[in-house]
Amino acid sequence: MPPAETPDILLIRQTRPDVAERLAERFRLHRMEEVPDRAAFLDTVGPRIRALAVGAMCPIDAALFDRLPRLEIVASFGVGYDTIDVGEAHRRGIVVTHTPDVLSDEVADLALGLLLATLRRIPQADRYLRAGRWRERSFPLTTSLRERRVGILGLGRIGRAIARRLEGFGVTIAYHGRTPQDGVPYAYYDSLLGLARAVDTLIVAAPGGPGTNGIVDAGVLAALGADGIVVNIARGSVIDEAALIAALQSGTILGAGLDVFENEPHVPQALIDLEQTVLLPHVGSGSHHTRAAMGRLLTDNLFSWFDGKGPVTPVPETPWKGRR
């Protein structure tokens, strides 16, 4: 049992058992998921909580901050943090951390796998064989990655890792983001529509949030053309899902590979019914190796904070200029 002076930490949504175990060795750990009455629990425990450890996609807002007057730090499990009100956290002097870098390679690997699966219709071919249809006739020919022009929306850590992998396939690579990146050999487009007009394959690697909500819209999809392929390993909110469904149904684009959706875990039946989609249940970082690394980084941020060394990986909206 931790001593009385040990900081109180609240775990909201289980991440991994080893994360909870590691936190419990150092802190007085409280678990939101174990309480039947959240309001009563926060009335009792909230005034003591100094840190939050949160699973991916957990809504963290001003209303919760109001219940935690001593809160100092929010440590999030994942690279994306669009469900956390970082502006409000900053206004209140609350540090927010995430787990970048340790998952970039894993997500980039999956992006390439999803791209190839969509182009070459790998899941469809697997189903074809299992249904015994190969004995009747060969599987239909598919499109190819050969001679494709690939655009990346968001050339951050994951976007750059995707681009490096694409280089080995000999395709043309271009990108769009808020600003051009120094030291990269890829063509930059200052508008997403301009990028879409220049390519036939769009990989979405941009963060979620108000600034990117629905930016892959009907116009962008139409600009990709009838051979267009969309792959999204970022956030479902970045794509106008209704527009994507309409573009696929009408043949405006050729196919889509999606690891993320607008209202997870609920996936529109229209997407499921389409034969030209490859759909995954948000598994971009979902390997034992990478999730363990993410868990270690989450706990390292909390240990470092309470050791007086500051956060290890604060989000950009949480500037950190040195020790506390």
Side-chain angles (χ1 to χ4, degrees), residues 226-287:
D227 289 326
I229 295 289
V230 175
V231 170
N232 189 4
I233 46 76
R235 284 287 189 262
S237 61
V238 179
I239 296 180
D240 181 335
E241 203 163 72
L244 176 63
I245 291 169
L248 289 164
Q249 291 174 334
S250 65
T252 299
I253 64 171
L254 183 63
L258 309 172
D259 186 43
V260 290
F261 304 89
E262 191 172 311
N263 187 27
E264 298 177 5
H266 306 288
V267 178
Q269 189 62 43
L271 279 176
I272 295 172
D273 291 342
L274 286 164
E275 185 61 20
Q276 66 269 44
T277 58
V278 178
L279 310 176
L280 303 179
H282 202 153
V283 294
S285 64
S287 72

Side-chain angles (χ1 to χ4, degrees), residues 32 35-48 67-68:
M32 184 74 82
V35 300
D37 187 337
R38 173 172 172 166
F41 172 75
L42 289 176
D43 284 341
T44 302
V45 174
R48 304 202 307 267
R67 308 295 296 274
L68 309 173

Side-chain angles (χ1 to χ4, degrees), residues 208-222:
T212 60
N213 189 44
I215 61 171
V216 181
D217 58 15
V220 170
L221 295 169

